[in-house]
Amino acid sequence: MSESASRTFSVAQSLDLSFDPNEDRLLLVGHTAEHGLRSMWLTRRLTRGLVVHFSRLLRSTSEEAAMAPEGYANEILRMEHIQALESGFETPADIPAHAEGHDEDGVSQGEDSGAEQTDRVFFALEVTFQQREESLFLGFSGKPFTDGGSNVTGEPEAIFALLLERPHAHKMLAAVCGKIREADWGEDVRPEWLQTSGLESCEHLACQ
């Protein structure tokens, strides 16, 4: 996981997440106003690291968990996770809208510029995690595939980012964990509060 502060990320408006058994990887597809459709392959190693760091971010940014007596933080996070998924469990998550242009945090939030819906495919290498006011930021960076998808070349570049309010962050985490379970990747890297929640879903997340 990496802090790629110098890159400017376009925020995805909606997401699709699937597991490809032939590649033994997850495929995350983001729909952005600026660049159209962008897809990335997530390896087992990157995806497991994503769950670990994303879970830690949710815990470290929870005021309720921070103020809880010793031993109660996991229960608070477990209940927050359950409530997030049960409140509109089948309803896609919304990513808050932002002003047009590039903000000082390296996020591009322009209106739809008529970008062609071409699908650029990337090999994801890094994820940037940050708290931005009331939202959690995940910025994905990687290298694009070339030669018909057989090679990756060049320096890592920004693919797209997610800017999620806490309930939607829980839904995203649940979706990833559900795909890890489908992939049968062995050791469970989820924290205790996530293992005991019993809820995993959301393959498609519409973001506005």
Side-chain angles (χ1 to χ4, degrees):
M1 305 301 123
S2 172
E3 292 287 333
S4 305
S6 62
R7 298 182 185 132
T8 298
F9 294 87
S10 294
V11 173
Q13 299 172 309
S14 64
L15 302 170
D16 289 288
L17 179 65
S18 60
F19 169 66
D20 188 321
N22 294 321
E23 296 287 340
D24 194 32
R25 297 172 182 168
L26 300 190
L27 182 64
L28 182 61
V29 182
H31 306 257
T32 70
E34 186 171 3
H35 299 297
L37 205 61
R38 287 195 160 190
S39 303
M40 69 180 91
W41 289 108
L42 306 177
T43 64
R44 178 186 310 202
R45 179 178 180 181
L46 185 77
T47 305
R48 288 160 64 90
L50 170 63
V51 170
V52 170
H53 288 270
F54 199 9
S55 301
R56 289 175 181 170
L57 182 63
L58 278 165
R59 184 187 183 103
S60 66
T61 54
S62 169
E63 295 181 1
E64 291 79 5
M67 295 185 295
E70 185 176 356
Y72 284 87
N74 279 340
E75 181 62 17
I76 288 173
L77 289 164
R78 186 180 76 86
M79 292 306 300
E80 179 184 343
H81 188 73
I82 291 173
Q83 290 171 6
L85 270 64
E86 286 186 340
S87 61
F89 191 77
E90 300 299 333
T91 302
D94 296 323
I95 292 179
H98 291 262
E100 182 178 357
H102 298 86
D103 67 20
E104 61 183 5
D105 293 320
V107 177
S108 172
Q109 281 286 359
E111 295 180 357
D112 192 338
S113 58
E116 295 183 5
Q117 295 300 304
T118 55
D119 187 356
R120 289 192 69 195
V121 183
F122 293 79
F123 186 81
L125 296 171
E126 307 172 6
V127 186
T128 300
F129 296 89
Q130 295 176 358
Q131 181 180 16
R132 298 193 174 178
E133 298 181 351
E134 299 300 318
S135 299
L136 302 181
F137 173 92
L138 281 72
F140 293 87
S141 300
K143 296 183 178 182
F145 279 95
T146 58
D147 300 330
S150 58
N151 295 302
V152 291
T153 59
E155 294 297 320
E157 60 181 271
I159 304 173
F160 60 76
L162 311 179
L163 196 58
L164 304 165
E165 295 179 353
R166 288 190 69 85
H168 310 141
H170 278 286
K171 291 181 180 181
M172 178 64 190
L173 182 58
V176 174
C177 289
K179 289 304 172 185
I180 289 177
R181 185 175 181 178
E182 179 184 336
D184 193 19
W185 281 345
E187 180 186 359
D188 194 342
V189 296
R190 297 175 301 167
E192 179 184 346
W193 60 265
L194 194 54
Q195 292 183 34
T196 57
S197 70
L199 293 177
E200 294 170 351
S201 187
C202 308
E203 294 185 15
H204 175 78
L205 301 175
C207 307
Q208 78 176 35

